Amino acid sequence: MENKNTDLKIKNLRKAFGKNKVLNGIDFELVEGERVVILGPSGSGKSTFLRCINWMEEPTSGEIYFDGVLLTEKNIRKMRRNMGMVFQHFNLINNLTVMENLTLAPVKLKLMKRDTAEKRAKELLRHIGLPNKANAYPASLSGGQKQRIAIIRAMMLSPEVLLFDEPTSALDPESIGDVLELIRELADRGMTIMIVTHEMSFAKEIATRIVFLDKGKIIEEGTPDEFFNHPKTPRVKEFLKKVL
Amino acid sequence: MGGFFDKVVELFSTPEYIDSLLHGFWLTIQISYFAILIGILLGTIIALIDTAKPSKWLVIPKFICRIYTTIIRGTPMALQLFIMFFIIFAIKGFPSIITAIIAFGLNSAAYTAEVIRGGILSVDIGQTEAGMALGLSRRTIFFKIVAPQAIKNIIPALGNEIITVIKETAIVSMVGMYDLNMAAKDIGSGQNMASYIVPMFVAALFYLVTIYLITFIVKQVEKSLRKSDLRAEE
Ligand SMILES: Nc1ncnc2c1ncn2[C@@H]1O[C@H](COP(=O)(O)OP(=O)(O)OP(=O)(O)O)[C@@H](O)[C@H]1O
Ligand SMILES: [Mg+2]
């Protein structure tokens, strides 16, 4: 590898909800430009893993370094602007227009002046083919439109990493293509990405690395070729038999 | 029925009666207004404490809020009023209107707190998470995202609470205060019209019109808040 920065370094991450131990010691590194797809059975802790990275869930123990900085309760808010998150259910803010959804954070965080933010938002809306939706409220948009707007909302802050948790699971087949197309484009432009998805062909196509979680542990990881064509563990073999 | 009509004419042509009614009505309005104000202020504080993220600083305040709403909601309003009048504010010369306002205000706060709490909790957690993921502060998330959505759910129920308070204040006549209800009783008594029916109907009409007006205003506010639910044109 060339001289690339390590965006994320995770040491022995554990998370329990009461007695339910969901993450059981995850060690993980993410290097700039990588696109990591997280796979695993339902309940294996994929969402929890992503949500611990930006402290949507506070880790029970372990360390997460972002750009070499140890994440803590105190600095997490400032650090979050560097890691965009895209949710399964889009989570556009219902009482704000599309334009307000896009500009709220950059303006509030004083990263951009309002007119700069609006200009940027308009560019991005035009780019995803929704220039006429700036003043629409989320309730008037289709799922695919909402998700693409949620993605450019995350991009408004120019994050170093984008975290996607099943971004297409709540969409109809037609919209799935549009959203995947946008993610593919971000990937082509070198965006560092972590994504949980059930779209296996997309995972194969986009991933530089596949990580497989089972019972809150990474039990196998490798390139898409290694993972899909030469799986090592019986657990992954069994999983692939089911999903492919 | 002629008698009824005569009584109506009598009531409306006797300035003292009209005066008494307006006096009573004014007291009802004053008590209701300030009680509702206290209810909303205190109720908001209670609801905010109740829905705040648990922390060691909030353990005791949260506990107090729970106890408070449990007691207020678990005992009759009339009893609370009597306790205020004859025990807590049984001070000579203490203005009874203040005692009544405090009693109704404290009562309304418990109900309003539940209304506001429900409104806040009804906002999808995903809305808060979106704000967190964008690095927004708790303050911004509350004021820009959660509160505006909660208000939509709160307004209709708050309207009901306001109406309840106005009607409930009629029990102040039980501690001898001259509100609208008392005015009607007074005008109908033996020394005056010697017939309760007309003054009672007129008092009822006063309550009805006031409450109708409030219902109307609440509906208008609801409508104007609902704009983000409507399909915006392209
Ligand atoms: N906020 C929470 N409180 C309590 N338990 C939780 C919470 N979030 C997740 N869990 C539990 O953690 C476990 C893992 O959940 P998680 O959502 O991370 O799995 P997942 O791999 O994303 O599954 P799926 O593929 O179904 O999305 C589950 O047992 C779930 O019940
Ligand atoms: Mg999940």
Side-chain angles (χ1 to χ4, degrees):
Chain A
M1 277 227 167
E2 321 116 66
N3 249 345
K4 292 218 168 170
N5 293 321
T6 303
D7 278 336
L8 197 59
K9 193 177 182 110
I10 296 173
K11 288 184 189 165
N12 199 17
L13 173 65
R14 288 169 193 275
K15 173 69 186 176
F17 295 102
K19 284 213 168 79
N20 184 8
K21 290 182 185 158
V22 176
L23 300 181
N24 297 302
I26 291 186
D27 294 295
F28 179 81
E29 259 189 64
L30 183 71
V31 173
E32 202 182 307
E34 272 196 297
R35 297 183 295 276
V36 173
V37 173
I38 301 163
L39 299 178
S42 182
S44 57
K46 305 181 295 295
S47 298
T48 306
F49 179 39
L50 273 196
R51 291 165 58 81
C52 277
I53 292 174
N54 68 354
W55 275 50
M56 221 50 107
E57 304 290 353
E58 193 177 330
T60 305
S61 68
E63 286 157 14
I64 303 173
Y65 295 88
F66 193 91
D67 279 344
V69 179
L70 177 66
L71 298 185
T72 63
E73 171 107 54
K74 286 229 158 56
N75 67 17
I76 186 60
R77 192 161 84 70
K78 280 230 153 59
M79 299 299 285
R80 275 185 184 136
R81 71 185 58 163
N82 301 316
M83 29 184 158
M85 181 168 238
V86 176
F87 302 87
Q88 182 176 352
H89 296 286
F90 336 122
N91 296 358
L92 289 186
I93 294 157
N94 294 326
N95 58 308
L96 302 180
T97 63
V98 167
M99 178 55 79
E100 290 164 340
N101 263 277
L102 295 173
T103 56
L104 177 66
V107 173
K108 276 278 169 197
L109 301 177
K110 299 199 166 63
L111 302 173
M112 289 183 200
K113 288 232 163 56
R114 180 169 299 281
D115 49 342
T116 322
E118 285 182 356
K119 220 176 119 214
R120 177 91 185 110
K122 278 187 189 144
E123 278 167 26
L124 289 172
L125 280 172
R126 200 175 316 121
H127 188 81
I128 60 170
L130 301 173
N132 52 358
K133 295 293 185 192
N135 297 316
Y137 283 97
S140 69
L141 303 171
S142 74
Q145 292 171 336
K146 284 185 201 171
Q147 194 61 303
R148 283 180 291 147
I149 289 164
I151 293 171
I152 62 170
R153 178 175 70 179
M155 292 305 294
M156 284 291 292
L157 299 174
S158 309
E160 290 168 40
V161 177
L162 271 185
L163 310 171
F164 292 88
D165 190 3
E166 302 198 30
T168 59
S169 295
L171 297 176
D172 57 283
E174 231 168 298
S175 314
I176 292 177
D178 292 341
V179 169
L180 293 183
E181 182 55 42
L182 180 57
I183 300 174
R184 194 177 287 128
E185 192 199 324
L186 294 172
D188 288 343
R189 285 200 271 145
M191 189 72 210
T192 312
I193 288 172
M194 284 181 75
I195 180 167
V196 176
T197 180
H198 294 299
E199 301 283 329
M200 287 304 148
S201 55
F202 184 70
K204 257 187 222 175
E205 172 201 333
I206 199 178
T208 54
R209 177 158 51 120
I210 308 261
V211 163
F212 188 86
L213 272 186
D214 189 35
K215 301 198 179 81
K217 278 194 151 143
I218 296 177
I219 61 164
E220 191 166 335
E221 61 184 309
T223 64
D225 177 56
E226 286 166 353
F227 185 84
F228 286 105
N229 303 327
H230 315 283
K232 293 185 279 269
T233 57
R235 187 71 191 84
V236 171
K237 283 178 191 156
E238 183 198 326
F239 176 82
L240 290 174
K241 219 184 284 163
K242 273 191 215 142
V243 299
L244 291 180
Chain B
M1 235 29 214
F4 183 84
F5 188 72
D6 290 343
K7 292 283 182 197
V8 173
V9 173
E10 186 191 341
L11 194 155
F12 282 103
S13 58
T14 313
E16 293 88 74
Y17 293 165
I18 300 289
D19 227 43
S20 300
L21 270 175
L22 290 178
H23 255 97
F25 181 60
W26 180 231
L27 185 74
T28 295
I29 294 296
Q30 279 176 297
I31 297 174
S32 304
Y33 180 83
F34 289 106
I36 288 161
L37 213 63
I38 291 175
I40 291 174
L41 289 177
L42 189 59
T44 305
I45 294 170
I46 294 172
L48 289 181
I49 292 173
D50 218 32
T51 54
K53 191 178 156 209
S55 77
K56 61 176 185 248
W57 308 109
L58 284 176
V59 173
I60 293 170
K62 272 175 188 281
F63 182 71
I64 293 172
C65 290
R66 285 276 98 193
I67 297 273
Y68 180 77
T69 50
T70 306
I71 292 176
I72 294 284
R73 282 155 34 105
T75 55
M77 178 66 232
L79 197 61
Q80 291 166 23
L81 186 70
F82 290 148
I83 290 175
M84 282 291 172
F85 262 86
F86 302 121
I87 300 173
I88 300 178
F89 289 104
I91 309 159
K92 247 202 161 62
F94 194 84
S96 55
I97 181 169
I98 306 267
T99 312
I101 286 170
I102 293 173
F104 283 99
L106 292 181
N107 179 272
S108 184
Y111 290 93
T112 305
E114 288 301 303
V115 165
I116 294 174
R117 193 177 91 97
I120 291 174
L121 293 180
S122 72
V123 177
D124 176 19
I125 183 74
Q127 298 286 302
T128 301
E129 291 188 347
M132 285 166 69
L134 289 165
L136 297 173
S137 63
R138 290 203 157 270
R139 223 185 120 82
T140 305
I141 292 172
F142 183 77
F143 286 107
K144 283 279 178 185
I145 301 174
V146 178
Q149 297 186 49
I151 282 176
K152 274 190 235 170
N153 306 318
I154 289 169
I155 292 295
L158 191 60
N160 282 339
E161 173 55 21
I162 290 172
I163 289 168
T164 304
V165 171
I166 293 172
K167 288 190 290 188
E168 238 172 16
T169 57
I171 63 172
V172 295
S173 58
M174 289 162 66
V175 290
M177 290 181 73
Y178 204 92
D179 74 326
L180 180 55
N181 186 29
M182 185 64 149
K185 276 191 222 164
D186 180 30
I187 296 166
S189 70
Q191 305 99 296
N192 295 311
M193 288 176 66
S195 165
Y196 286 112
I197 182 145
V198 170
M200 285 294 173
F201 265 106
V202 173
L205 204 64
F206 270 69
Y207 281 110
L208 195 63
V209 170
T210 310
I211 284 161
Y212 181 80
L213 257 170
I214 287 166
T215 311
F216 178 78
I217 293 167
V218 169
K219 280 270 176 309
Q220 293 311 112
V221 175
E222 259 180 79
K223 246 190 226 163
S224 72
L225 284 175
R226 223 180 286 139
K227 69 174 195 295
S228 59
D229 293 345
L230 300 174
R231 296 189 157 259
E233 52 270 58
E234 310 214 331

